[in-house]
Amino acid sequence: IPERSIAGRRHVVPSSDGVVNPGMDAAAPVAGFAYGLDGSLKGLIEVGVLRSAGGVERSFGGKVDLSSTNAVLDFKTTEKPLDGLKTWDSHWMQLAAYREGLRIPAARCAICYVSVSEPGKARVIELTDEELKKGWGMFNGLLDFWYAKTGLTR
């Protein structure tokens, strides 16, 4: 996962002035935000913080920040203004792989950007079915490439 995901993890968060906050406990704010969601995913995210997702048939795995029986949510921290943020193809691949690995291929998926420069602010962006289908195709292509490049077998 290329970006910093924060749910349920203790980590170091740099501030804009270079000062570091070691051991910031991000689990409480993330859990509180997820509990209070008023957007389109309210009621879908119930349990499953940091569940493992793995596609045995495809030999991949990962740690999911938050999931339920029909939704997958990944948290990303950002110092950028929340208004201008969007999702990227790496997000599409990540969430498409997670929902397949969790064996809930029709799950709704979203990225939740959590501001580190404006504490308490966050933005949820739900991925479209088209983005998730495209992401799953790209993920499988890259997984095939990786196996061909490394010479490993599934």
Coordinates of all heavy atoms in Angstrom, one line a residue, residues 24-125:
M24 N 1.5 8.5 17.6 CA 0.2 9.0 17.6 C -0.8 7.8 17.5 O -0.6 7.0 16.6 CB 0.0 9.9 16.4 CG -1.5 10.4 16.2 SD -1.6 11.3 14.6 CE -3.3 11.3 14.4
D25 N -1.7 7.7 18.4 CA -2.7 6.6 18.3 C -3.8 7.0 17.4 O -4.7 7.9 17.8 CB -3.2 6.3 19.7 CG -4.0 5.1 19.8 OD1 -4.3 4.5 18.7 OD2 -4.4 4.6 20.9
A26 N -3.9 6.5 16.2 CA -4.9 6.9 15.2 C -6.1 6.0 15.3 O -7.1 6.4 14.7 CB -4.3 6.7 13.8
A27 N -6.1 5.0 16.1 CA -7.3 4.1 16.1 C -8.5 4.7 16.6 O -9.6 4.6 16.0 CB -7.0 2.8 17.0
A28 N -8.4 5.5 17.7 CA -9.6 6.2 18.3 C -10.3 7.2 17.4 O -11.5 7.1 17.1 CB -9.2 6.8 19.6
P29 N -9.5 8.1 16.7 CA -10.2 9.0 15.8 C -10.8 8.4 14.6 O -11.9 8.7 14.2 CB -9.1 10.0 15.4 CG -7.9 9.7 16.2 CD -8.1 8.5 17.0
V30 N -10.1 7.3 14.1 CA -10.6 6.6 12.9 C -11.9 5.9 13.3 O -12.9 6.0 12.6 CB -9.6 5.7 12.3 CG1 -10.2 4.8 11.3 CG2 -8.5 6.5 11.7
A31 N -11.9 5.2 14.4 CA -13.1 4.4 14.8 C -14.2 5.4 15.1 O -15.4 5.1 14.7 CB -12.8 3.6 16.1
G32 N -13.9 6.5 15.8 CA -15.0 7.5 16.0 C -15.6 8.1 14.8 O -16.8 8.2 14.6
F33 N -14.7 8.3 13.8 CA -15.2 8.9 12.5 C -16.0 7.9 11.8 O -17.1 8.2 11.3 CB -14.0 9.3 11.6 CG -14.5 9.9 10.3 CD1 -15.1 11.1 10.2 CD2 -14.4 9.1 9.2 CE1 -15.5 11.6 9.0 CE2 -14.9 9.5 8.0 CZ -15.5 10.8 7.9
A34 N -15.6 6.6 11.7 CA -16.3 5.6 11.1 C -17.7 5.4 11.7 O -18.7 5.2 11.0 CB -15.5 4.3 11.0
Y35 N -17.7 5.4 13.0 CA -19.0 5.2 13.8 C -20.0 6.3 13.4 O -21.1 6.1 13.3 CB -18.7 5.2 15.3 CG -19.9 5.0 16.1 CD1 -20.5 3.8 16.3 CD2 -20.5 6.1 16.7 CE1 -21.6 3.6 17.0 CE2 -21.6 5.9 17.5 CZ -22.2 4.7 17.6 OH -23.3 4.5 18.4
G36 N -19.5 7.5 13.3 CA -20.3 8.7 13.0 C -20.6 9.0 11.6 O -21.1 10.1 11.3
L37 N -20.2 8.2 10.7 CA -20.4 8.5 9.2 C -21.8 8.9 8.9 O -22.7 8.1 9.3 CB -20.0 7.3 8.3 CG -18.5 7.2 8.0 CD1 -18.3 5.9 7.2 CD2 -18.0 8.4 7.3
D38 N -22.1 10.0 8.3 CA -23.4 10.4 7.9 C -23.6 10.2 6.4 O -24.7 10.5 5.8 CB -23.7 11.8 8.3 CG -23.9 11.9 9.8 OD1 -24.5 11.0 10.4 OD2 -23.5 13.0 10.3
G39 N -22.5 9.9 5.7 CA -22.6 9.8 4.2 C -23.2 8.5 3.7 O -23.9 7.8 4.4
S40 N -22.9 8.2 2.4 CA -23.6 7.1 1.7 C -23.2 5.8 2.3 O -23.9 4.8 2.0 CB -23.2 7.2 0.3 OG -21.8 7.0 0.1
L41 N -22.1 5.7 3.1 CA -21.7 4.4 3.7 C -22.2 4.1 5.1 O -22.0 3.1 5.7 CB -20.2 4.2 3.6 CG -19.6 4.2 2.2 CD1 -18.1 4.2 2.3 CD2 -20.1 3.1 1.4
K42 N -23.0 5.1 5.6 CA -23.5 4.9 7.0 C -24.3 3.6 7.1 O -25.1 3.3 6.3 CB -24.3 6.1 7.5 CG -24.8 6.0 8.9 CD -25.5 7.2 9.4 CE -25.8 7.1 10.8 NZ -26.4 8.3 11.4
G43 N -24.0 2.8 8.2 CA -24.7 1.6 8.4 C -24.1 0.4 7.7 O -24.4 -0.7 8.0
L44 N -23.2 0.6 6.7 CA -22.6 -0.5 6.0 C -21.3 -0.9 6.7 O -21.0 -2.1 6.7 CB -22.3 0.0 4.6 CG -23.4 0.2 3.7 CD1 -22.9 0.7 2.3 CD2 -24.3 -1.0 3.5
I45 N -20.6 0.0 7.3 CA -19.4 -0.3 8.0 C -19.7 -0.6 9.4 O -20.1 0.3 10.1 CB -18.4 0.9 7.9 CG1 -18.1 1.3 6.4 CG2 -17.1 0.5 8.6 CD1 -17.5 0.2 5.6
E46 N -19.5 -1.9 9.8 CA -19.9 -2.3 11.2 C -18.8 -2.8 12.0 O -18.5 -2.3 13.0 CB -21.0 -3.3 11.1 CG -22.3 -2.7 10.5 CD -23.3 -3.8 10.0 OE1 -23.0 -5.0 10.2 OE2 -24.3 -3.4 9.5
V47 N -18.1 -3.8 11.4 CA -17.0 -4.4 12.1 C -15.9 -4.9 11.1 O -16.2 -4.8 9.9 CB -17.4 -5.7 13.0 CG1 -18.2 -5.3 14.2 CG2 -18.2 -6.6 12.1
G48 N -14.8 -5.4 11.6 CA -13.8 -5.9 10.7 C -12.6 -5.0 10.6 O -12.0 -5.0 9.5
V49 N -12.2 -4.3 11.6 CA -11.0 -3.4 11.5 C -9.8 -4.3 11.3 O -9.6 -5.3 12.0 CB -10.9 -2.6 12.8 CG1 -9.6 -1.8 12.8 CG2 -12.1 -1.6 13.0
L50 N -9.0 -4.0 10.3 CA -7.8 -4.7 10.0 C -8.0 -6.2 9.8 O -7.3 -7.0 10.2 CB -6.7 -4.5 11.0 CG -6.1 -3.1 11.0 CD1 -5.0 -2.9 12.0 CD2 -5.5 -2.7 9.6
R51 N -9.0 -6.6 9.0 CA -9.2 -7.9 8.6 C -8.2 -8.3 7.5 O -7.8 -7.4 6.7 CB -10.6 -8.1 8.0 CG -11.7 -8.1 9.1 CD -13.1 -8.2 8.5 NE -13.3 -9.4 7.7 CZ -14.3 -9.6 6.8 NH1 -15.1 -8.6 6.6 NH2 -14.4 -10.7 6.2
S52 N -7.8 -9.5 7.5 CA -6.9 -9.9 6.4 C -7.7 -10.3 5.2 O -8.8 -10.9 5.2 CB -6.1 -11.2 6.8 OG -5.2 -10.8 7.8
A53 N -7.2 -9.9 4.0 CA -7.8 -10.2 2.7 C -6.8 -11.0 2.0 O -5.7 -10.6 1.9 CB -8.2 -9.0 2.0
G54 N -7.2 -12.2 1.4 CA -6.3 -13.0 0.7 C -7.0 -13.7 -0.4 O -8.1 -14.3 -0.2
G55 N -6.4 -13.7 -1.6 CA -6.9 -14.5 -2.7 C -6.0 -15.7 -2.9 O -5.0 -15.7 -3.5
V56 N -6.4 -16.8 -2.3 CA -5.6 -18.0 -2.3 C -5.4 -18.5 -3.7 O -4.3 -18.8 -4.1 CB -6.3 -19.2 -1.5 CG1 -5.6 -20.4 -1.6 CG2 -6.5 -18.7 0.0
E57 N -6.5 -18.4 -4.5 CA -6.3 -18.8 -5.9 C -5.3 -18.0 -6.7 O -4.7 -18.4 -7.6 CB -7.7 -18.8 -6.7 CG -8.8 -19.4 -5.9 CD -9.4 -18.6 -4.8 OE1 -9.5 -17.3 -4.9 OE2 -9.8 -19.2 -3.8
R58 N -5.2 -16.7 -6.3 CA -4.4 -15.8 -7.0 C -3.1 -15.5 -6.2 O -2.3 -14.7 -6.7 CB -5.1 -14.4 -7.3 CG -6.3 -14.6 -8.2 CD -6.0 -14.8 -9.6 NE -5.3 -13.6 -10.1 CZ -4.5 -13.6 -11.1 NH1 -4.2 -14.7 -11.8 NH2 -3.9 -12.5 -11.5
S59 N -3.0 -16.0 -5.0 CA -1.8 -15.8 -4.2 C -1.5 -14.4 -3.9 O -0.4 -13.9 -4.3 CB -0.6 -16.5 -4.8 OG -0.9 -17.9 -4.9
F60 N -2.4 -13.7 -3.2 CA -2.1 -12.3 -2.7 C -2.8 -12.1 -1.4 O -3.6 -12.9 -1.0 CB -2.5 -11.2 -3.7 CG -4.0 -11.1 -3.9 CD1 -4.8 -10.3 -3.1 CD2 -4.7 -11.9 -4.8 CE1 -6.1 -10.2 -3.2 CE2 -6.1 -11.7 -5.0 CZ -6.8 -10.9 -4.1
G61 N -2.4 -11.1 -0.7 CA -3.0 -10.8 0.6 C -2.8 -9.4 1.0 O -2.0 -8.7 0.4
G62 N -3.5 -9.0 2.0 CA -3.3 -7.6 2.5 C -4.1 -7.4 3.8 O -4.8 -8.3 4.2
K63 N -4.0 -6.2 4.4 CA -4.7 -5.9 5.6 C -5.7 -4.8 5.3 O -5.4 -3.7 4.9 CB -3.8 -5.4 6.7 CG -3.0 -6.5 7.4 CD -3.8 -7.4 8.2 CE -2.9 -8.4 9.0 NZ -3.7 -9.3 9.8
V64 N -7.0 -5.1 5.6 CA -8.1 -4.2 5.3 C -8.3 -3.3 6.5 O -8.4 -3.8 7.6 CB -9.4 -4.9 4.9 CG1 -10.5 -4.0 4.6 CG2 -9.1 -5.9 3.7
D65 N -8.4 -2.0 6.3 CA -8.6 -1.1 7.4 C -10.0 -1.3 8.1 O -10.1 -1.4 9.3 CB -8.5 0.4 7.0 CG -7.0 0.8 6.7 OD1 -6.1 0.1 7.1 OD2 -6.8 1.8 6.0
L66 N -11.1 -1.3 7.3 CA -12.4 -1.4 7.8 C -13.3 -2.1 6.8 O -13.3 -1.7 5.6 CB -12.9 0.0 8.2 CG -14.1 0.1 9.2 CD1 -13.7 -0.5 10.5 CD2 -14.4 1.6 9.4
S67 N -14.1 -3.1 7.2 CA -15.0 -3.8 6.3 C -16.2 -4.3 7.0 O -16.2 -4.4 8.2 CB -14.2 -4.9 5.6 OG -13.9 -5.9 6.5
S68 N -17.2 -4.6 6.2 CA -18.4 -5.3 6.7 C -18.7 -6.4 5.7 O -17.9 -6.6 4.8 CB -19.5 -4.3 6.9 OG -20.0 -3.9 5.7
T69 N -19.9 -6.9 5.8 CA -20.3 -7.9 4.8 C -20.6 -7.4 3.4 O -20.7 -8.1 2.4 CB -21.6 -8.7 5.3 OG1 -22.6 -7.7 5.5 CG2 -21.3 -9.4 6.6
N70 N -20.7 -6.1 3.3 CA -21.0 -5.5 1.9 C -20.2 -4.2 1.7 O -20.6 -3.4 0.8 CB -22.5 -5.3 1.8 CG -23.1 -4.4 2.8 OD1 -22.4 -4.0 3.8 ND2 -24.3 -4.0 2.6
A71 N -19.2 -3.9 2.4 CA -18.4 -2.6 2.2 C -17.0 -2.8 2.6 O -16.7 -3.5 3.6 CB -19.1 -1.5 2.9
V72 N -16.1 -2.1 2.0 CA -14.7 -2.0 2.3 C -14.3 -0.6 2.3 O -14.5 0.2 1.3 CB -13.8 -2.8 1.3 CG1 -12.3 -2.8 1.7 CG2 -14.3 -4.3 1.2
L73 N -13.6 -0.1 3.4 CA -13.2 1.3 3.5 C -11.7 1.3 3.8 O -11.2 0.5 4.7 CB -14.0 1.9 4.6 CG -13.8 3.4 4.8 CD1 -14.4 4.2 3.6 CD2 -14.6 3.8 6.1
D74 N -10.9 2.1 3.1 CA -9.5 2.3 3.4 C -9.2 3.7 3.8 O -9.7 4.6 3.1 CB -8.7 1.9 2.2 CG -7.2 1.8 2.5 OD1 -6.8 0.9 3.2 OD2 -6.4 2.7 2.1
F75 N -8.5 3.9 4.8 CA -8.1 5.2 5.3 C -6.8 5.7 4.8 O -5.8 4.9 4.8 CB -8.1 5.3 6.9 CG -9.5 5.1 7.5 CD1 -9.9 3.8 7.8 CD2 -10.3 6.2 7.7 CE1 -11.2 3.6 8.4 CE2 -11.5 6.0 8.3 CZ -12.0 4.7 8.6
K76 N -6.7 6.9 4.4 CA -5.5 7.6 3.9 C -5.4 8.9 4.6 O -6.3 9.7 4.7 CB -5.5 7.9 2.4 CG -5.9 6.7 1.5 CD -4.7 5.7 1.5 CE -5.1 4.6 0.4 NZ -4.2 3.4 0.6
T77 N -4.2 9.2 5.2 CA -3.9 10.5 5.8 C -3.4 11.4 4.7 O -2.8 11.0 3.7 CB -2.9 10.4 6.9 OG1 -1.7 9.8 6.3 CG2 -3.4 9.5 8.0
T78 N -3.7 12.7 4.9 CA -3.3 13.7 3.9 C -3.1 15.0 4.6 O -3.8 15.4 5.6 CB -4.3 13.8 2.8 OG1 -3.8 14.8 1.8 CG2 -5.7 14.3 3.3
E79 N -2.2 15.8 4.1 CA -1.9 17.2 4.5 C -2.6 18.1 3.5 O -2.7 19.3 3.7 CB -0.5 17.5 4.6 CG 0.2 16.7 5.7 CD 1.7 17.0 5.9 OE1 2.2 17.8 5.1 OE2 2.3 16.4 6.8
K80 N -3.1 17.6 2.4 CA -3.7 18.5 1.3 C -5.1 18.8 1.7 O -5.8 18.2 2.5 CB -3.7 17.7 0.0 CG -2.3 17.3 -0.5 CD -2.4 16.5 -1.8 CE -1.1 16.1 -2.3 NZ -1.1 15.2 -3.4
P81 N -5.6 19.9 1.1 CA -7.0 20.3 1.4 C -8.0 19.1 0.9 O -7.8 18.6 -0.2 CB -7.3 21.5 0.5 CG -5.9 22.1 0.3 CD -5.0 20.9 0.3
L82 N -9.0 18.8 1.7 CA -9.9 17.7 1.4 C -10.7 17.9 0.1 O -11.1 17.0 -0.6 CB -10.8 17.4 2.6 CG -10.0 16.9 3.8 CD1 -11.0 16.8 5.0 CD2 -9.3 15.6 3.6
D83 N -11.0 19.2 -0.1 CA -11.9 19.5 -1.3 C -11.4 19.1 -2.6 O -12.1 18.6 -3.5 CB -12.2 21.0 -1.3 CG -13.1 21.5 -0.2 OD1 -13.7 20.6 0.5 OD2 -13.2 22.7 0.0
G84 N -10.1 19.2 -2.8 CA -9.5 18.8 -4.1 C -9.1 17.4 -4.3 O -8.5 17.1 -5.4
L85 N -9.3 16.6 -3.4 CA -8.8 15.2 -3.4 C -9.7 14.3 -4.3 O -10.9 14.6 -4.5 CB -8.7 14.6 -2.0 CG -7.7 15.2 -1.1 CD1 -7.8 14.6 0.3 CD2 -6.3 15.1 -1.7
K86 N -9.1 13.3 -4.9 CA -9.8 12.3 -5.7 C -9.2 11.0 -5.5 O -8.2 10.9 -4.7 CB -9.7 12.7 -7.2 CG -8.3 12.7 -7.8 CD -8.3 13.1 -9.2 CE -6.9 13.0 -9.8 NZ -6.9 13.2 -11.3
T87 N -9.7 10.0 -6.1 CA -9.1 8.6 -6.0 C -8.2 8.4 -7.2 O -8.3 9.0 -8.2 CB -10.1 7.5 -5.9 OG1 -10.9 7.5 -7.0 CG2 -11.0 7.7 -4.6
W88 N -7.3 7.5 -7.0 CA -6.3 7.1 -8.1 C -6.4 5.7 -8.4 O -7.0 4.9 -7.7 CB -4.9 7.5 -7.6 CG -4.7 8.9 -7.2 CD1 -4.9 9.5 -6.0 CD2 -4.4 10.0 -8.1 NE1 -4.7 10.8 -6.1 CE2 -4.4 11.2 -7.4 CE3 -4.1 10.0 -9.5 CZ2 -4.1 12.4 -7.9 CZ3 -3.9 11.3 -10.0 CH2 -3.9 12.4 -9.3
D89 N -5.8 5.3 -9.6 CA -5.9 3.9 -10.0 C -5.3 2.9 -9.0 O -5.7 1.8 -8.8 CB -5.3 3.7 -11.4 CG -3.8 4.2 -11.5 OD1 -3.2 4.6 -10.5 OD2 -3.3 4.1 -12.6
S90 N -4.3 3.4 -8.2 CA -3.8 2.5 -7.1 C -4.8 2.2 -6.1 O -4.9 1.1 -5.5 CB -2.5 3.1 -6.5 OG -2.8 4.4 -5.9
H91 N -5.7 3.2 -5.8 CA -6.8 2.9 -4.8 C -7.8 1.9 -5.4 O -8.3 1.1 -4.7 CB -7.6 4.2 -4.5 CG -6.7 5.3 -3.9 ND1 -6.9 6.6 -4.2 CD2 -5.7 5.2 -3.1 CE1 -6.0 7.4 -3.5 NE2 -5.2 6.5 -2.8
W92 N -8.1 2.1 -6.7 CA -9.0 1.2 -7.4 C -8.5 -0.3 -7.3 O -9.3 -1.2 -7.0 CB -9.2 1.5 -8.8 CG -9.6 3.0 -9.1 CD1 -10.0 3.9 -8.2 CD2 -9.5 3.6 -10.3 NE1 -10.2 5.1 -8.8 CE2 -9.9 5.0 -10.1 CE3 -9.2 3.2 -11.6 CZ2 -10.0 5.9 -11.2 CZ3 -9.3 4.2 -12.7 CH2 -9.7 5.5 -12.4
M93 N -7.2 -0.4 -7.6 CA -6.6 -1.8 -7.5 C -6.6 -2.3 -6.1 O -7.0 -3.5 -5.9 CB -5.2 -1.7 -8.0 CG -5.1 -1.5 -9.5 SD -3.4 -1.7 -10.2 CE -2.7 -0.1 -9.6
Q94 N -6.3 -1.5 -5.1 CA -6.2 -2.0 -3.7 C -7.6 -2.4 -3.3 O -7.7 -3.5 -2.7 CB -5.7 -0.8 -2.9 CG -5.6 -1.2 -1.4 CD -5.2 0.0 -0.5 OE1 -5.2 1.2 -1.0 NE2 -5.0 -0.2 0.7
L95 N -8.6 -1.6 -3.4 CA -9.9 -1.9 -2.9 C -10.6 -3.1 -3.7 O -11.3 -3.9 -3.1 CB -10.8 -0.7 -2.8 CG -10.4 0.3 -1.7 CD1 -11.2 1.6 -1.8 CD2 -10.5 -0.3 -0.4
A96 N -10.3 -3.1 -5.0 CA -10.9 -4.2 -5.8 C -10.2 -5.6 -5.3 O -10.9 -6.6 -5.2 CB -10.6 -4.0 -7.3
A97 N -8.9 -5.5 -5.1 CA -8.3 -6.8 -4.6 C -8.8 -7.1 -3.2 O -9.0 -8.3 -2.9 CB -6.8 -6.6 -4.6
Y98 N -9.0 -6.1 -2.3 CA -9.5 -6.4 -1.0 C -10.8 -7.1 -1.0 O -11.1 -8.0 -0.3 CB -9.5 -5.1 -0.1 CG -8.2 -4.7 0.4 CD1 -8.1 -3.4 1.1 CD2 -7.1 -5.4 0.4 CE1 -7.0 -3.0 1.6 CE2 -5.9 -5.0 0.9 CZ -5.8 -3.7 1.5 OH -4.6 -3.3 2.0
R99 N -11.7 -6.5 -1.8 CA -13.1 -7.1 -1.8 C -13.1 -8.5 -2.4 O -13.9 -9.3 -2.0 CB -14.1 -6.1 -2.5 CG -14.1 -6.0 -4.0 CD -15.1 -5.0 -4.4 NE -15.2 -5.1 -5.9 CZ -16.2 -4.5 -6.5 NH1 -17.2 -3.9 -5.9 NH2 -16.3 -4.6 -7.8
E100 N -12.3 -8.7 -3.4 CA -12.1 -10.1 -3.9 C -11.5 -11.0 -2.9 O -12.0 -12.1 -2.7 CB -11.3 -10.1 -5.2 CG -12.0 -9.4 -6.4 CD -13.2 -10.1 -6.9 OE1 -13.3 -11.4 -6.8 OE2 -14.1 -9.5 -7.5
G101 N -10.5 -10.5 -2.2 CA -9.8 -11.3 -1.2 C -10.7 -11.7 0.0 O -10.5 -12.7 0.6
L102 N -11.6 -10.7 0.3 CA -12.5 -11.0 1.4 C -13.7 -11.8 0.9 O -14.6 -12.1 1.7 CB -13.1 -9.6 2.0 CG -12.0 -8.8 2.7 CD1 -12.6 -7.4 3.0 CD2 -11.7 -9.5 4.1
R103 N -13.8 -12.1 -0.3 CA -14.9 -12.9 -1.0 C -16.2 -12.2 -0.9 O -17.2 -12.8 -0.6 CB -14.9 -14.3 -0.4 CG -13.7 -15.1 -0.9 CD -13.5 -16.4 -0.1 NE -12.3 -17.1 -0.6 CZ -11.1 -16.8 -0.4 NH1 -10.8 -15.7 0.2 NH2 -10.1 -17.6 -0.8
I104 N -16.1 -10.8 -1.1 CA -17.4 -10.0 -1.2 C -17.2 -9.2 -2.5 O -17.1 -7.9 -2.4 CB -17.6 -9.2 0.1 CG1 -16.4 -8.4 0.6 CG2 -18.2 -10.0 1.2 CD1 -16.6 -7.5 1.7
P105 N -17.2 -9.8 -3.6 CA -16.9 -9.1 -4.9 C -17.9 -8.0 -5.3 O -17.6 -7.2 -6.1 CB -16.9 -10.2 -5.9 CG -17.8 -11.3 -5.3 CD -17.6 -11.2 -3.8
A106 N -19.1 -7.9 -4.6 CA -20.0 -6.9 -5.0 C -20.0 -5.8 -3.9 O -20.8 -4.9 -4.0 CB -21.4 -7.5 -5.1
A107 N -19.1 -5.8 -3.0 CA -19.0 -4.8 -1.9 C -18.8 -3.4 -2.5 O -18.1 -3.2 -3.4 CB -17.9 -5.1 -1.0
R108 N -19.4 -2.4 -1.8 CA -19.2 -1.0 -2.1 C -17.8 -0.7 -1.5 O -17.5 -1.2 -0.4 CB -20.3 -0.2 -1.5 CG -21.6 -0.4 -2.2 CD -22.7 0.2 -1.4 NE -22.7 1.7 -1.4 CZ -23.5 2.5 -0.7 NH1 -24.4 2.0 0.0 NH2 -23.3 3.8 -0.8
C109 N -17.1 0.2 -2.1 CA -15.7 0.5 -1.6 C -15.5 2.0 -1.6 O -16.0 2.7 -2.5 CB -14.7 -0.1 -2.5 SG -14.7 -1.9 -2.5
A110 N -14.7 2.5 -0.6 CA -14.5 3.9 -0.5 C -13.1 4.2 0.1 O -12.6 3.3 0.9 CB -15.6 4.6 0.3
I111 N -12.6 5.3 -0.2 CA -11.4 5.8 0.4 C -11.8 6.9 1.3 O -12.7 7.8 1.0 CB -10.4 6.4 -0.7 CG1 -9.9 5.4 -1.6 CG2 -9.3 7.2 0.0 CD1 -9.0 4.3 -1.0
C112 N -11.3 6.9 2.6 CA -11.6 7.9 3.5 C -10.3 8.7 3.8 O -9.4 8.2 4.4 CB -12.1 7.3 4.8 SG -12.4 8.6 6.1
Y113 N -10.3 9.9 3.3 CA -9.1 10.8 3.5 C -9.3 11.5 4.9 O -10.3 12.1 5.1 CB -9.0 11.9 2.4 CG -8.5 11.4 1.1 CD1 -9.4 11.2 0.0 CD2 -7.2 11.0 0.9 CE1 -8.9 10.8 -1.2 CE2 -6.7 10.6 -0.3 CZ -7.6 10.5 -1.4 OH -7.1 10.0 -2.6
V114 N -8.3 11.3 5.7 CA -8.3 11.9 7.1 C -7.2 13.0 7.1 O -6.0 12.7 6.8 CB -8.0 10.9 8.2 CG1 -8.0 11.5 9.5 CG2 -9.1 9.8 8.1
S115 N -7.6 14.2 7.4 CA -6.7 15.4 7.4 C -5.8 15.3 8.6 O -6.2 15.1 9.7 CB -7.4 16.7 7.4 OG -6.5 17.8 7.4
V116 N -4.5 15.4 8.4 CA -3.5 15.6 9.5 C -3.2 17.0 9.7 O -2.6 17.4 10.8 CB -2.2 14.8 9.2 CG1 -2.5 13.3 9.2 CG2 -1.5 15.2 8.0
S117 N -3.6 17.9 8.8 CA -3.4 19.4 9.0 C -4.6 20.1 9.6 O -4.5 21.1 10.1 CB -3.0 20.0 7.7 OG -3.9 19.8 6.7
E118 N -5.8 19.4 9.5 CA -7.0 20.0 10.1 C -7.6 18.8 10.9 O -8.5 18.1 10.4 CB -7.9 20.5 9.0 CG -7.4 21.6 8.1 CD -8.5 22.0 7.1 OE1 -9.5 22.6 7.5 OE2 -8.2 21.8 5.9
P119 N -7.2 18.7 12.1 CA -7.7 17.6 12.9 C -9.2 17.5 13.0 O -9.9 18.5 13.1 CB -7.1 17.9 14.3 CG -5.9 18.7 14.0 CD -6.2 19.5 12.8
G120 N -9.7 16.3 12.9 CA -11.2 16.1 12.9 C -11.9 16.1 11.6 O -13.1 15.9 11.5
K121 N -11.2 16.5 10.6 CA -11.8 16.6 9.2 C -11.4 15.4 8.4 O -10.3 14.9 8.4 CB -11.4 17.9 8.5 CG -11.9 19.1 9.2 CD -11.9 20.3 8.3 CE -12.5 21.5 9.0 NZ -12.6 22.7 8.2
A122 N -12.4 14.9 7.7 CA -12.2 13.8 6.8 C -13.2 13.9 5.6 O -14.2 14.6 5.7 CB -12.4 12.5 7.6
R123 N -12.9 13.1 4.6 CA -13.7 13.1 3.4 C -13.8 11.6 2.9 O -12.7 11.0 2.7 CB -13.2 14.0 2.3 CG -14.0 14.0 1.0 CD -13.6 15.0 0.0 NE -14.4 14.9 -1.2 CZ -13.9 15.1 -2.4 NH1 -12.7 15.6 -2.5 NH2 -14.7 15.0 -3.4
V124 N -15.0 11.1 2.6 CA -15.2 9.8 2.1 C -15.5 9.9 0.6 O -16.4 10.7 0.2 CB -16.3 9.0 2.8 CG1 -16.6 7.7 2.1 CG2 -16.0 8.9 4.3
I125 N -14.8 9.2 -0.3 CA -15.0 9.1 -1.7 C -15.3 7.7 -2.1 O -14.4 6.8 -2.0 CB -13.9 9.7 -2.5 CG1 -13.5 11.1 -2.1 CG2 -14.2 9.6 -4.0 CD1 -12.3 11.7 -2.8

